[in-house]
Amino acid sequence: MKSFYQELNSGLVFLPELGIGRYPVPKNRPYDESYFANYQKLANTEMGHELTQARIHLVKRHYKGPVLDVGIGAGQFVDSRPDTLGFDVNPVGVAWLNERGCYADLYAKKWPVLTMWDVLEHIDEPDLAVQQATKFVFVSIPIFADAGDIVRSHHFRKTEHIWYFTDDGIKRWFAEQGFECVEQNTLECHLGRKGVASYAFRRI
């Protein structure tokens, strides 16, 4: 029984009726120079370039104008799309953005559009983040069928991923934040990723 209560306090909690899971990731996150360098390697591959273009086209189908990219990875989206600023919590990413004059504070003001490519699941308070968007939030994120699917997945990252969603769960969650889903696709899976969906959420 002791191990049950330990797991309840420190393990994955999944609410099937909401389609949302949460894992208590420690405050000390692995966002450093090696983390940034790894994403640089991933971005500079054929798949990395194709993913960036797919994300650019997803935004373009719904919106043309300035965008704030939240959680820049290695900065490939900011580099590849005009009128794009970036926000990050990795000091290396922040320095990269400042060197290019592209850093912006997500929480300093409202933004018409936010992009979150593999980012929403990392944010402690994602509701506060998406509140900053007045028109759209574009998201790519791992999607799961149930709790068993989560713990078997390579996307179950105990040092990074706080939030886990089903397809219905993330749509319901965004609806509660005041958004409607105007596009959902699995193009990133067709490009070689596993279990990832992309969404365009429009402010209602």
Side-chain angles (χ1 to χ4, degrees):
M1 187 64 74
K2 182 179 179 181
S3 63
F4 169 79
Y5 286 112
Q6 287 174 336
E7 188 68 16
L8 192 63
N9 292 325
S10 63
L12 174 71
V13 174
F14 181 76
L15 302 176
E17 66 275 19
L18 298 180
I20 299 175
R22 187 182 186 280
Y23 186 85
V25 171
K27 292 295 182 184
N28 186 21
R29 315 279 166 82
Y31 308 141
D32 55 19
E33 188 171 351
S34 63
Y35 190 90
F36 189 82
N38 181 56
Y39 274 96
Q40 283 183 313
K41 290 179 183 178
L42 293 172
N44 193 27
T45 62
E46 183 178 354
M47 183 193 293
H49 294 303
E50 289 177 343
L51 287 171
T52 300
Q53 289 305 309
R55 293 166 176 178
I56 288 171
H57 290 311
L58 172 59
V59 174
K60 189 176 181 180
R61 286 195 290 276
H62 301 276
Y63 175 80
K64 295 177 178 63
V67 166
L68 178 64
D69 188 37
V70 179
I72 66 167
Q76 64 274 26
F77 187 79
V78 175
D79 248 354
S80 302
R81 185 186 183 279
D83 294 328
T84 302
L85 300 176
F87 170 80
D88 210 284
V89 297
N90 185 343
V92 182
V94 173
W96 184 94
L97 288 165
N98 280 325
E99 287 170 4
R100 290 156 178 78
C102 292
Y103 177 81
D105 185 350
L106 167 63
Y107 301 99
K109 66 173 189 175
K110 300 293 184 181
W111 303 92
V113 175
L114 303 178
T115 56
M116 296 181 170
W117 313 122
D118 299 308
V119 169
L120 186 72
E121 64 271 28
H122 294 252
I123 300 176
D124 290 276
E125 297 179 288
D127 53 329
L128 297 182
V130 303
Q131 281 176 17
Q132 301 305 110
T134 60
K135 293 183 178 179
F136 283 95
V137 178
F138 295 92
V139 175
S140 65
I141 191 169
I143 293 296
F144 306 91
D146 51 35
D149 192 25
I150 295 171
V151 298
R152 291 189 297 268
S153 173
H154 70 285
H155 293 299
F156 185 35
R157 299 183 185 175
K158 297 181 179 181
T159 60
E160 298 181 59
H161 292 180
I162 304 165
W163 301 101
Y164 297 86
F165 294 92
T166 64
D167 178 65
D168 286 341
I170 193 165
K171 290 174 181 174
R172 184 183 301 112
W173 184 85
F174 263 96
E176 291 173 352
Q177 314 310 315
F179 293 84
E180 62 177 345
C181 181
V182 293
E183 182 176 341
Q184 185 269 359
N185 70 65
T186 54
L187 181 59
E188 297 200 7
C189 293
H190 297 297
L191 294 176
R193 304 192 69 198
K194 293 182 179 179
V196 173
S198 300
Y199 299 87
F201 292 105
R202 181 172 60 199
R203 175 71 73 182
I204 300 171

